[in-house]
Amino acid sequence: MTEFTSSSYTSPVPVPALDAVAPEVHRGIYGMPMYLSVPTPDLDASRDFWIRGLGFIDLFSIPGRLTHLRRWAFQDVLLVPGERARQAPATSLGVACVPSQIEEIAARCEALLPGCTGGPREMPWNSVELTVTTPENARIVLTAARPLDPSGLQAAALREVGFDVPAAAVSGA
């Protein structure tokens, strides 16, 4: 696995490491390349869960019409008035985080809405994931990349399915 860099773009997601530090919330306004709209019958209650549970900020709100939430750059969610989904959809939104945030987010979400989390689970693609079903029935998967031991079983399994995993450790991992 290689570290991707570009002269014109740097990802807000840190290099996988158990002690990785989450980037600061990006408070600038930009053209959003992707975002999730979540209908809710109660904008204030939903806003509270997303902020206190999932760690988003209220970038701005238009009372009664919209709350624009954000965590890191390009992690944008719009809460809009609407009906709550009857059940959580099969689809989910993946949101990057760092390993140290998984347990903390799980505890905060469970305190606000008991039974709303699943996991965390170690995934075969070298991440730890926590699934949160929000009060609106949106499925949010917080995913934290883990460092890869190039001589470990997970690296061997990734090589087996065609990934070019280097024999030496990637810097920062």
Side-chain angles (χ1 to χ4, degrees):
M1 303 181 83
T2 59
E3 197 173 324
F4 293 95
T5 58
S6 167
S7 60
S8 65
Y9 178 74
T10 301
S11 173
V13 181
V15 173
L18 293 178
D19 62 351
V21 176
E24 293 295 318
V25 172
H26 182 81
R27 295 176 184 273
I29 302 297
Y30 51 73
M32 296 182 297
M34 185 176 144
Y35 61 91
L36 176 68
S37 290
V38 179
T40 176
D42 187 338
L43 282 169
D44 291 334
S46 292
R47 176 187 172 277
D48 184 62
F49 181 87
W50 285 77
I51 290 171
R52 292 191 321 142
L54 294 169
F56 282 74
I57 64 158
D58 182 344
L59 189 61
F60 68 86
S61 288
I62 302 171
R65 297 184 56 201
L66 167 86
T67 295
H68 183 155
L69 302 167
R70 181 176 293 154
R71 280 183 85 242
W72 303 351
F74 311 116
Q75 292 181 346
D76 293 275
V77 173
L78 305 180
L79 298 176
V80 297
E83 301 270 331
R84 178 183 185 269
R86 287 188 184 148
Q87 63 184 29
T91 58
S92 62
L93 175 68
V95 176
C97 65
V98 295
S100 64
Q101 293 179 308
I102 293 282
E103 294 293 336
E104 168 189 325
I105 291 170
R108 288 193 320 245
C109 289
E110 283 293 325
L112 293 167
L113 185 63
C116 71
T117 64
R121 298 183 319 266
E122 288 193 26
M123 305 307 286
W125 42 87
N126 208 40
S127 69
V128 174
E129 295 186 352
L130 172 72
T131 301
V132 178
T133 302
T134 71
E136 312 80 27
N137 265 335
R139 278 185 355 119
I140 307 301
V141 178
L142 291 116
T143 183
R146 296 169 44 82
L148 184 63
D149 175 1
S151 61
L153 293 175
Q154 192 142 37
L158 289 170
R159 284 186 195 97
E160 216 172 273
V161 296
F163 282 90
D164 182 20
V165 178
V170 175
S171 67

